[in-house]
Amino acid sequence: MALRIGTALLGGGASCREVEAAMRAVTSAYRLNGSVPNVTFSMISLSYQPSVDVAPLAADRSVLDRGSHYTRVDDVERLTARIADGLSPSAAAEQLAAIERGPGPYPQWVLSVATALVSAFAAVMVGGGWWVLLGALGGGLIGERAAAAVARTGAAPFYQLGAAAIAAAGIGVAASTVIDRSHAGAMITGALFAQFPGRPLVLAINDGLAGYFLTAGARLLEAFFLLTAIVCGVTGTLYIGRLAGAGPTVQDTSFGQAPTAGWALVLTAGALTAAFAVIHEVPPRAIAAATATGLACFTTYHLLVVAHLAPVAATAVAAILIGIFGGLGARVLGSSTLPLMVPALAPLLPGRSLYLGLLALSEGRFASGGPQLALAITLSLTLAVGTDVGRQIAGRPDPATGHPGRPAEPA
């Protein structure tokens, strides 16, 4: 039971600390005190030694299918709490099997539309108008379908994300022949928001700060490969488009200089957060809380930037607030913090810096592209570290109790 619960949590997007805490809660509830769980990037093991003169028992499971299924994570953590409260093993096994077999909270077409909406709202946030919104919507949808088609062949996530990047950038390049090229840049930037590997990066920093260095390194490598797929797909498409006489250039980057009006920007950030929550299959009961967190923290960021605070410092403040609100909200809802924090990061992702860096690299301008990519990486790390700092300030809720800092009581 502990191994199955750990597998469901790790495969659904939980951190190593949350997985180990849940496994300890299960073994403690069923009087297997002294069990030692060990969680890595793709492997879960559990050992139990009844006494020093008895050989220990050990079992392990591989977790190769990983994604963002936060509704499943929420259901499993609620089951863990019921086990800690005395649920019998047979009843727990039936409920876990129902969770594993059950469908996700949203049908596939809703997930596809949400992915397209993330691209559209992000394009509006960097200054695009109605035509840009529609183009980014189409580009995001085509990119998502391209990634799904590649996934059906059994290809690795690297190629799935590369296909999505090529499709989305291709729509932007094609649109540059009929609309202003700077607007085409906004369309491509919007697509980058939907593809940016923010979740693996956040989990990598969280696991690293919690002492799971092997897993943190593996997650960072995963984020690096996914980012490389975006780099290859976007830069290659931009380069080919330029050879054909189409596509934006580094002179066509005015879309970020006159952004959407303040009130509209904040509302769009809220809509972007809600769509991002759907992509990650956040439980429907938590979407409002995640959206409110994103709205409040992005509003804080926007006000700080208007007050001429440096973007990195403003991002750090907003990220810490996301961690605090996520921790407090998780305590109220009795769930994990990640379903509230990951969607709230969406409006703060460095999509524009990433796009400008890739655009410069596609033209061979390494001196100007390098600093933009470095800024994108710096902002990403700031978001990841800031959220963990905020979560520590709020108090990390235990999966088996829902209260910060209180371990599960042994049966």
Side-chain angles (χ1 to χ4, degrees), residues 114-129 132-137 140 182-196 255-256 259-260 264-265 267-276 279 298 345-353 355:
T115 303
L117 288 175
V118 167
S119 300
F121 292 142
V124 172
M125 286 188 66
V126 295
V132 172
L133 184 148
L134 294 175
L137 187 71
S182 64
H183 292 165
M187 292 170 53
I188 299 174
T189 302
L192 293 178
F193 275 77
Q195 300 163 8
F196 194 85
F255 63 90
T260 305
L265 189 66
L267 292 178
T268 305
L272 173 61
T273 303
F276 212 73
I279 290 177
F298 180 79
L345 294 172
L348 300 172
L349 292 176
R352 183 176 187 273
S353 299
Y355 166 72

Side-chain angles (χ1 to χ4, degrees), residues 134-148:
L134 294 175
L137 187 71
L141 186 59
I142 293 174
E144 192 275 338
R145 289 291 83 200

Side-chain angles (χ1 to χ4, degrees), residues 53-97:
D53 57 344
V54 177
L57 303 174
D60 57 65
R61 279 195 175 193
S62 296
V63 184
L64 302 179
D65 183 17
R66 297 179 302 275
S68 298
H69 310 291
Y70 287 133
T71 294
R72 181 177 300 175
V73 170
D74 184 65
D75 291 340
V76 173
E77 290 188 343
R78 286 175 171 271
L79 173 59
T80 303
R82 291 193 294 273
I83 291 174
D85 289 337
L87 186 68
S88 68
S90 58
E94 292 178 2
Q95 295 183 24
L96 181 57

Side-chain angles (χ1 to χ4, degrees), residues 377-406:
I377 294 173
T378 300
L379 292 174
S380 302
L381 294 175
T382 300
L383 286 172
V385 174
T387 53
D388 194 79
V389 171
R391 186 164 59 163
Q392 295 290 345
I393 294 173
R396 187 190 303 267
D398 186 85
T401 65
H403 300 285
R406 196 179 90 191

Side-chain angles (χ1 to χ4, degrees), residues 2 4 7 17 43 62 110 128 144 153 178-179 182 186 210 222 244 267 295 315-316 322 339-340 342 358 361 375:
R4 288 176 61 191
T7 301
R17 180 171 183 143
M43 178 73 69
S62 296
V110 172
E144 192 275 338
T153 67
V178 295
I179 64 174
S182 64
E222 178 190 31
L267 292 178
L295 269 173
T315 300
I322 288 175
L340 301 181
V342 171
L358 298 181
L361 290 182
L375 177 60

Side-chain angles (χ1 to χ4, degrees), residues 271-375:
L272 173 61
T273 303
F276 212 73
V278 172
I279 290 177
H280 289 83
E281 297 189 25
V282 170
R285 67 186 182 90
I287 284 187
T291 303
T293 300
L295 269 173
C297 297
F298 180 79
T299 300
T300 302
Y301 167 82
H302 181 63
L303 293 176
L304 292 175
V305 171
V306 170
H308 303 292
L309 189 67
V312 174
T315 300
V317 173
I320 292 173
L321 289 178
I322 288 175
I324 293 174
F325 292 156
L328 296 177
R331 192 183 312 175
V332 172
L333 295 174
S335 67
S336 171
T337 57
L338 290 174
L340 301 181
M341 293 195 315
V342 171
L345 294 172
L348 300 172
L349 292 176
R352 183 176 187 273
S353 299
L354 179 60
Y355 166 72
L356 293 178
L358 298 181
L359 182 61
L361 290 182
S362 71
E363 296 185 5
R365 300 173 182 263
F366 300 101
S368 58
Q372 289 290 346
L373 291 179
L375 177 60

